[in-house]
Each structure stands twice: as C-alpha cells, then as structure tokens.
Amino acid sequence: MGMYRLLYPMRTYLIVSGRDEEVDVMAADWVTVLSSRPFLIGVAISPKRYTHGLVDRYGEFVVSVPGLDMLRDVWIAGTKSGPSKLREMNITLVPSKAVSTPGIKEAIANLECRVVDRRTYGDHTLFVGEVVGYSHREDAFENGRPNLRYGFLAHASWADFLTFEKRFYRPE
C-alpha cells in the first residue's frame, strides 16, 4: 500500500481536458484549493496520463464534481485511458462559459480553469489553474454549504467509494 493511502478517503473529481474532437475525462482524487483570491485549484496528474498532454497543450481544464449517480462514469474515467472511453460513459459534454474545454452536464458543479503554473514533483505534475468560470446545480449548495442528498463522492480505496452522511456536526 502506498503511504499516500493514509490520507484517504479523499473527494473524487472528474478532470475534463482538451477541446473539440480531442476531449478526455479522467478521475482524480489529488485536487485541492490553493488560494481563494485569486481562486486557484491544484490538480496532480501523472505524465503517463492522456489528460496530462491535453492540459499541457491547451493550458486549461475543467474540474467536474460528480455525485453518486455518476459512479459508473467515475469508474470508467479512472480505469480506462484515452478519449475512446467517452463512448462508454453516460455523460453529456456542454460548452463552458470562459474556456474552450467543455464541462459535464450531469455533474453537480464545473469549475473552469486556466493553467497559471505547473511544476513537476516526483512522478506527478501539479497544474495550478485559476478558476475563471463555473456552473453548478443551484439546489446542490443551499445557504453556502453542500446539500448532502446529492451524494458528493469520496474515494476510500481501489474500488470503494462513499458519500457523506446526511448530517452536519459542529463543535460545542
């Protein structure tokens, strides 16, 4: 077991890259907020991944937030390589507002990013994207917090995923 597994469970996302006829979608757990002003997101992608080349070439990507209803698509995106897997997925690619890379209609949210930096750390490249546009399901975020009935996904281990308990806790 890789030591990085000690950090799991982690949220799971779909990374959309490319444009026009050359679009790919990969599953990624290694996604994090780096700054709120400007709003920057980091995503670690192995150079072995097809998505890596597209993000590198076009300088943009979309982080799509899947729900439990997209679990099969997340699995395909995480276990198969290259754009041909899109034929097996039940997703609809839709135009983004601020980038040429499309978003995913079925996703809870889509964050459109332009690459502002990239660095290689060990066996992955950390792409830093500034969020320049977004879309989301209005009722998935009520009063500034996620509506847990949407089944936000987390990755626990190889083929095990979970959603969050439909309850919030606060310290006393």
Side-chain angles (χ1 to χ4, degrees):
M1 172 181 87
M3 284 188 288
Y4 66 87
R5 290 286 178 191
L6 299 174
L7 295 171
Y8 279 67
M10 296 182 84
R11 287 283 304 277
T12 295
Y13 302 93
L14 292 172
I15 307 300
V16 186
S17 61
R19 53 177 72 155
D20 303 320
E21 302 304 313
E22 189 178 30
V23 174
D24 191 39
V25 178
M26 70 169 263
D29 299 342
W30 298 359
V31 178
T32 190
V33 173
L34 299 171
S35 169
S36 60
R37 289 191 189 142
F39 186 14
L40 302 175
I41 295 177
V43 58
I45 303 174
S46 169
K48 297 176 184 176
R49 303 289 173 233
Y50 190 85
T51 294
H52 186 283
L54 293 177
V55 173
D56 205 31
R57 182 175 321 128
Y58 294 113
E60 60 185 39
F61 59 91
V62 173
V63 178
S64 292
V65 179
L68 181 58
D69 59 336
M70 295 180 69
L71 181 57
R72 181 180 174 277
D73 296 312
V74 168
W75 184 252
I76 292 168
T79 58
K80 303 208 175 189
S81 182
S84 62
K85 67 184 157 199
L86 293 176
R87 291 192 293 269
E88 298 178 50
M89 297 172 72
N90 291 315
I91 61 170
T92 309
L93 297 174
V94 293
S96 293
K97 296 175 183 176
V99 297
S100 296
T101 299
I104 298 175
K105 179 180 180 181
E106 294 79 8
I108 297 169
N110 289 285
L111 294 102
E112 305 166 16
C113 302
R114 281 207 183 94
V115 174
V116 296
D117 196 14
R118 57 164 288 170
R119 305 259 186 228
T120 300
Y121 295 100
D123 61 358
H124 278 64
T125 301
L126 178 66
F127 288 99
V128 178
E130 181 175 358
V131 178
V132 294
Y134 67 93
S135 61
H136 68 287
R137 296 184 194 174
E138 293 290 330
D139 57 342
F141 300 92
E142 298 173 336
N143 302 316
R145 67 182 192 188
N147 181 338
L148 297 181
R149 74 178 170 83
Y150 274 85
F152 292 82
L153 278 179
H155 191 192
S157 64
W158 171 244
D160 297 318
F161 294 82
L162 55 100
T163 61
F164 297 90
E165 182 181 354
K166 293 183 172 108
R167 180 176 173 185
F168 289 97
Y169 295 91
R170 291 190 174 178
E172 304 233 6

